[in-house]
Amino acid sequence: MPLSSAKKGQASKSTSQPAISTPAKTSRKRKMDADSQKYYAVRAGVKPGVYLTWAECQEQTAGFRGASYKSFLSREDAEAYVAGKKTSAAAPGEERFYAVAVGREPGVYTDWDTASLAIKGWKGPKYKRFDTREGAIEYIRTHGNEAAQEALLKDEGAEPSSKKRKKTVGGDAGKGEDEKDIQHVYTDGSSLANGRAGAAAGVGVFFGPGDKRNISERLQGEIQTNQRAELTAILRALETVPIDQKIRIFSDSKYSISCATEWYANWQKNGWKTKDGPVKNKDLVEAIRAKIDERTEAGTKTYFQWVKGHAADAGNVAADQLAVNGARQLI
């Protein structure tokens, strides 16, 4: 059977000749053990067929109503599955964890069939596969919406945010169980009359009640936007916490978190340009990434966690007030 590469969004005209795509890169594990090759069989999807990488299989099944697929150790079994014939059991292997940060049923799943139901038909789902539960949990903490955060708390055996939570290092920043000796800090930005002439922005960083490290200051520079204030607050938190201290930054800005954890990679690759022009706030994103990379090189972890703004979270409310007070200060 000839090798071919499936294109995303291309409808299938026939399922009698399953397509096998060739991966662009060979994994390190596959180089070490040729027998570890898996075959991802898509019986029902955008383009049914057999694929050699999980990413390609995911392209054909994510969001596809009634998607049906499995992984196998032999090409014969995979082809039989696509053809609707009886096959042997799916390929055994190391446990995988599927993090659904945004979807119908957010949470951590241990099998794709179940996880896919949590995102099927959902507009703009956000999910990713991990080799460890810890990695899946961090993904949800960073990118999950309110429903995802609540689901994560239940999964970890913690109480919902509306109830009393266990305190950890750094005061009232506890969101379920966390690593030991990790500094929690809330950041926020505020721009009075945001987007209009005469706007005034402020930066808020909250470590805890009465903590001398708390920051409330006016945003520097001519551009006084809420986004720049929020990014600056994250940068100030990273500048304040020692390089050898693990940190979890809580922010209600999905924009800022995405800039610092995801979008920057493509922006760097594309010369900090988008289809609409130069990346906005490039200077702050680069400065934040430089601090994170510096901490990573030192062996120190940096985490982000999204929280719902202007709600019942005491830390976020305190950071917001610091930011508002900062916006009212004279430059």
Side-chain angles (χ1 to χ4, degrees):
M1 185 180 297
L3 298 180
S4 62
S5 178
K7 296 181 179 180
K8 186 175 181 181
Q10 180 176 331
S12 172
K13 296 182 179 180
S14 172
T15 60
S16 61
Q17 293 293 326
I20 297 182
S21 59
T22 302
K25 296 182 179 179
T26 304
S27 69
R28 184 178 301 175
K29 182 177 179 182
R30 190 174 300 151
K31 287 179 180 178
M32 296 173 62
D33 183 3
D35 294 332
S36 66
Q37 171 65 63
K38 288 185 179 180
Y39 298 86
Y40 299 90
V42 178
R43 179 185 291 174
V46 177
K47 185 174 183 179
V50 178
Y51 299 86
L52 299 184
T53 67
W54 164 248
E56 290 171 307
C57 173
Q58 201 172 26
E59 282 188 355
Q60 309 306 318
T61 58
F64 187 92
R65 186 178 297 276
S68 179
Y69 43 91
K70 282 186 180 181
S71 65
F72 296 88
L73 287 178
S74 75
R75 172 174 164 176
E76 291 72 21
D77 280 345
E79 291 176 351
Y81 178 81
V82 173
K85 300 177 182 179
K86 187 175 181 180
T87 64
S88 58
E94 296 180 359
E95 191 172 14
R96 293 291 184 266
F97 300 90
Y98 303 90
V100 177
V102 178
R104 182 173 290 100
E105 293 290 340
V108 178
Y109 298 85
T110 55
D111 70 279
W112 174 244
D113 285 345
T114 305
S116 65
L117 295 176
I119 61 173
K120 191 177 299 181
W122 190 268
K123 185 178 181 180
K126 201 170 186 63
Y127 55 95
K128 193 174 182 180
R129 188 183 70 168
F130 294 87
D131 291 333
T132 65
R133 177 175 288 276
E134 290 72 21
I137 288 174
E138 280 306 320
Y139 182 80
I140 294 177
R141 280 178 166 173
T142 301
H143 301 290
N145 53 22
E146 185 178 15
Q149 302 292 350
E150 293 296 329
L152 188 59
L153 289 174
K154 293 178 181 178
D155 183 58
E156 294 179 304
E159 294 180 328
S161 58
S162 59
K163 298 181 180 180
K164 184 178 180 180
R165 295 193 303 253
K166 178 181 178 181
K167 285 191 176 183
T168 57
V169 179
D172 180 41
K175 286 279 188 179
E177 295 299 322
D178 209 340
E179 297 181 42
K180 293 181 180 179
D181 304 321
I182 185 168
Q183 176 67 63
H184 286 187
V185 56
Y186 282 83
T187 65
D188 204 357
S190 176
S191 180
L192 306 179
N194 187 44
R196 301 197 296 271
V203 174
V205 182
F206 179 72
F207 286 87
D211 196 305
K212 294 181 179 180
R213 297 170 295 177
N214 291 344
I215 297 172
S216 177
E217 61 189 26
R218 179 71 182 271
L219 176 67
Q220 299 298 305
E222 294 182 5
I223 305 176
Q224 296 284 300
T225 64
N226 192 57
Q227 288 184 341
R228 288 191 66 81
E230 289 167 335
L231 287 169
T232 299
I234 290 175
L235 178 59
R236 296 289 283 115
L238 290 169
E239 291 172 341
T240 304
V241 177
I243 192 173
D244 59 350
Q245 172 69 63
K246 289 182 290 186
I247 184 175
R248 182 179 297 283
I249 297 175
F250 294 83
S251 171
D252 62 15
S253 171
K254 292 184 177 180
Y255 164 80
S256 297
I257 291 176
S258 294
C259 282
T261 63
E262 287 190 300
W263 298 343
Y264 77 93
N266 280 333
W267 287 340
Q268 286 178 332
K269 189 183 304 182
N270 297 325
W272 293 92
K273 293 182 180 179
T274 69
K275 62 180 181 179
D276 298 319
V279 172
K280 293 182 179 180
N281 306 317
K282 170 191 172 185
D283 57 329
L284 292 174
V285 177
E286 284 188 311
I288 289 172
R289 284 308 313 176
K291 284 294 181 182
I292 294 175
D293 292 342
E294 184 181 44
R295 293 169 57 80
T296 300
E297 290 178 5
T300 308
K301 294 181 179 179
T302 304
Y303 298 118
F304 287 88
Q305 184 164 336
W306 178 83
V307 292
K308 185 177 181 181
H310 308 288
D313 196 302
N316 176 257
V317 171
D320 176 67
Q321 189 57 58
L322 290 172
V324 171
N325 292 343
R328 291 171 176 163
Q329 297 177 17
L330 297 178
I331 296 180

